Amino acid sequence: MAETELERAEKRYAQAKARLQALKNREATRQRKLDTRRKVILGGALMDLAERDSNAAAMLDRLIRNLSREQDRKAFTEWETPSPVPTDEDAS
């Protein structure tokens, strides 16, 4: 039996809808990966700054102590907050 024009249109519609959903899923995945990358970069930058700046070290310590999820706090149980390394400028 031959496909009617309506059936062909419904089939094209379903295919277009599936392509649109696939595009949305890819974009959402891309955004999540970008968000994760930003967090990793900022976290590394904060850790690096904490090694040079006592205010940043205190902020990092405070952030860790105030993590709300137990599983997140556990990730830091054996980790020590960086403390600023004294420089020649600090001796003056």
Side-chain angles (χ1 to χ4, degrees):
M1 181 164 135
E3 236 180 356
T4 66
E5 187 175 344
L6 178 60
E7 290 169 333
R8 285 192 302 275
E10 286 177 341
K11 188 176 181 179
R12 285 193 310 271
Y13 172 74
Q15 290 169 341
K17 193 172 176 183
R19 283 193 305 273
L20 177 61
Q21 188 59 50
L23 284 170
K24 286 181 178 181
N25 292 344
R26 280 197 297 274
E27 179 60 18
T29 298
R30 189 185 74 77
Q31 288 296 329
R32 277 193 311 276
K33 286 181 179 182
L34 184 58
D35 184 54
T36 299
R37 178 171 165 68
R38 288 176 181 142
K39 289 174 183 176
V40 168
I41 291 168
L42 284 174
L46 178 57
M47 290 169 63
D48 184 53
L49 180 62
E51 292 177 1
R52 300 185 315 272
D53 182 320
S54 60
N55 289 330
M59 175 57 76
L60 185 58
D61 184 56
R62 185 175 176 196
L63 287 169
I64 292 168
R65 283 185 286 116
N66 287 296
L67 290 170
S68 59
R69 294 177 0 156
E70 178 66 25
Q71 65 195 43
D72 293 342
R73 285 191 306 273
K74 283 183 181 179
F76 292 95
T77 54
E78 296 179 15
W79 185 75
E80 290 186 30
T81 306
S83 48
V85 177
T87 62
D88 293 337
E89 294 172 6
D90 295 335
S92 311

